[in-house]
Amino acid sequence: MTGRRRLTSPRPYKLLTSTAAVGALLTGCGVLPGASGDSREPLTVVTWAPGGATEPDSVNMSGMTAMARTYARWANSSGGLDGHKLRVVTCDEKDTSIGAANCARLAVKEKAVAVVGSYSRHGSSFMAPLENAGIPYIGGYGASTEEFSSYVSYPVNGGQPALLAGNAQQLARSCERVSVVRPDTLAGDGQAWLLKTGLTEARRPEPADIRAAESATSYDEAAGRALQAAGTSGGCVTSVLGEGTETFFDSFRRLEPSYGNVRISSVLGSVGQPLIDSTGGRNSPFEGAYITGWYPESGDARWDLMRKVISKHAFGDNRIDPDDTGVQTTWIAYTALNELVKAIDAPQITAWKLTSALNHGTPVDTGGLTPVLRWGFKDMLGSSAYPRIVNSRVTFQVVRDGRLVADKKGFVDVTKTLSDASAKG
């Protein structure tokens, strides 16, 4: 299904004022409890993400759990979510299947009404416990395929499939030839297929498919093949190696000839503002690169409220980088939760009530950070590969003077590419 209805935003945002209690830590997990004494019952949610402290190569997304606690401090300082004190339980997922399963069991134990704004690559481990307990998974990062297939998952973005479909469209505007460097895995095969679908739809040649090991310490051989296929004029090289993308472009820049014009590209999650900053800003190897993202560029005014909340309620927590896509996703997920709780407008919020509101297509306004979101049946992509995607819009960005800025105004819809890739794959 590719056609979807889009409604205008729900009723205006309102804030209730009262004092809030914050603090206390659970063993291994941080908690922000809501105060008692209000006619509306507190609600408990869980946010999990890997802290990056277990293994040297493990993903570190601790900014997401820190953002969740910051959001709770802010919300509770203004009366909670529609009068409900917000209790946030956080869990270190450890970037392991066992850790993901443990965090899911914690959500069940804590009687959470939802898991919100979380990150895990191990959907096969965490989704089953949530399904058994009927706990909705709202606004995950999109790092696992189960987030786009499970009936308890309600994504706020289109995950990597949408980024790759968008990256193909962005490259097709100015690249005569494209080399794609991607993991030599089954998932990598799907990445190459999405880029091929998008480029051929735009009547560009098929990309040169360069396979590489995900955890290599050098990509000289892959970089050489990518450069040769792209040529020295009008060619582009895009890399979707995740954490290995920086290493790849180090190899690429060493081999790149001093003549010609080969444009580089990637997607947010592989390259973002924090990485650009840490590799030299305007002197970064990513200067001039095309980047496809889910949300507006980090300097957009639509992020101002999030930045104010971080400034006032994060207490200097340096894990929270407002330019980080994970932090931004958690903010959007909690914004969605807030809108849903207001729409339900009940003394008690339960997992069943949230799920019912989600399944009935309650519209969620994220302040323009995404299109208005709805998770009703008619709003979903409905393709065999990505049935739960409801937001198939992306943004085109470019690195200019060390900052990610808009390469094209507004959102770009990649529904057709996602549907075609799913149908033909």
Side-chain angles (χ1 to χ4, degrees):
M1 180 183 305
T2 59
R4 286 174 282 173
R5 293 184 295 140
R6 295 290 184 191
L7 296 188
T8 55
S9 64
R11 56 196 176 97
Y13 186 93
K14 65 178 180 179
L15 289 175
L16 303 179
T17 57
S18 71
T19 57
V22 298
L25 291 176
L26 285 180
T27 303
C29 299
V31 178
L32 288 168
S36 59
D38 193 285
S39 59
R40 297 206 160 198
E41 295 186 9
L43 60 90
T44 297
V45 299
V46 171
T47 296
W48 64 59
T54 307
E55 299 293 339
D57 295 329
S58 65
V59 175
N60 186 348
M61 301 297 285
S62 58
M64 297 178 71
T65 49
M67 182 71 247
R69 291 195 289 271
T70 298
Y71 190 97
R73 293 188 191 101
W74 170 62
N76 288 336
S77 72
S78 301
L81 306 187
D82 200 34
H84 299 271
K85 295 299 182 182
L86 176 61
R87 178 175 178 262
V88 171
V89 178
T90 61
C91 185
D92 185 352
E93 182 261 6
K94 302 183 185 298
D95 200 24
T96 65
S97 58
I98 294 175
N102 287 340
C103 287
R105 286 192 283 268
L106 177 66
V108 176
K109 178 182 177 182
E110 293 289 335
K111 296 181 172 55
V113 300
V115 174
V116 185
S118 297
Y119 180 103
S120 178
R121 298 190 291 178
H122 306 283
S124 59
S125 297
F126 73 74
M127 203 63 83
L130 298 185
E131 290 175 346
N132 289 336
I135 298 174
Y137 187 78
I138 301 173
Y141 185 86
S144 59
T145 57
E146 288 79 6
E147 294 177 53
F148 303 105
S149 60
S150 172
Y151 62 89
V152 300
S153 180
Y154 302 89
V156 298
N157 60 51
Q160 192 173 64
L163 293 180
L164 291 164
N167 193 226
Q169 289 192 25
Q170 187 175 15
L171 292 170
R173 297 190 306 159
S174 58
C175 302
E176 296 177 11
R177 293 168 307 282
V178 174
S179 296
V180 53
V181 184
R182 49 81 167 191
D184 188 11
T185 61
L186 185 62
D189 293 343
Q191 294 171 1
W193 180 251
L194 275 163
L195 281 159
K196 174 185 174 182
T197 302
L199 286 167
T200 53
E201 281 179 351
R203 300 186 178 181
R204 289 291 190 181
E206 293 184 10
D209 186 10
I210 312 298
R211 305 180 186 197
E214 285 186 284
S215 57
T217 56
S218 173
Y219 288 99
D220 287 0
E221 192 268 340
R225 287 190 289 137
L227 271 169
Q228 184 177 14
T232 56
S233 178
C236 296
V237 173
T238 188
S239 170
V240 283
L241 291 169
E243 295 292 316
T245 300
E246 179 184 359
T247 304
F248 169 77
F249 280 120
D250 282 343
S251 298
F252 178 86
R253 288 305 191 197
R254 286 197 303 270
L255 296 176
E256 186 181 18
S258 57
Y259 58 90
N261 181 24
V262 180
R263 198 81 180 245
I264 64 172
S265 176
S266 191
V267 296
L268 281 179
S270 289
V271 175
Q273 190 61 56
L275 177 58
I276 295 165
D277 293 341
S278 68
T279 55
R282 67 182 60 196
N283 297 315
S284 164
F286 301 104
E287 181 67 21
Y290 291 134
I291 307 293
T292 307
W294 293 309
Y295 316 126
E297 67 275 14
S298 58
D300 190 282
R302 284 168 283 189
W303 295 111
D304 285 354
L305 178 58
M306 180 191 73
R307 290 178 179 277
K308 290 177 182 176
V309 169
I310 292 171
S311 176
K312 186 173 181 180
H313 296 276
F315 305 139
D317 192 332
N318 60 13
R319 293 172 298 172
I320 304 178
D321 186 339
D323 295 337
D324 179 73
T325 312
V327 168
Q328 294 172 351
T329 298
T330 299
W331 171 263
I332 290 171
Y334 273 89
T335 301
L337 175 69
N338 191 6
E339 292 291 301
L340 290 162
V341 170
K342 289 191 295 179
I344 293 169
D345 190 23
Q348 182 186 37
I349 301 298
T350 64
W352 182 86
K353 287 178 181 177
L354 274 176
T355 301
S356 180
L358 288 157
N359 290 341
H360 282 86
T362 300
V364 165
D365 185 352
T366 63
L369 295 171
T370 67
V372 172
L373 300 173
R374 293 168 55 97
W375 292 272
F377 178 75
K378 293 182 178 180
D379 305 293
M380 294 184 180
L381 185 65
S383 72
S384 58
Y386 327 107
R388 301 292 293 183
I389 289 180
V390 299
N391 178 12
S392 52
R393 308 285 180 94
V394 298
T395 57
F396 292 169
Q397 301 174 35
V398 64
V399 183
R400 188 174 295 136
D401 293 327
R403 297 296 301 177
L404 275 168
V405 298
D407 185 37
K408 177 182 173 65
K409 290 185 178 181
F411 292 101
V412 178
D413 194 342
V414 296
T415 298
K416 185 178 187 303
T417 300
L418 290 171
S419 297
D420 289 349
S422 179
K424 299 173 184 176

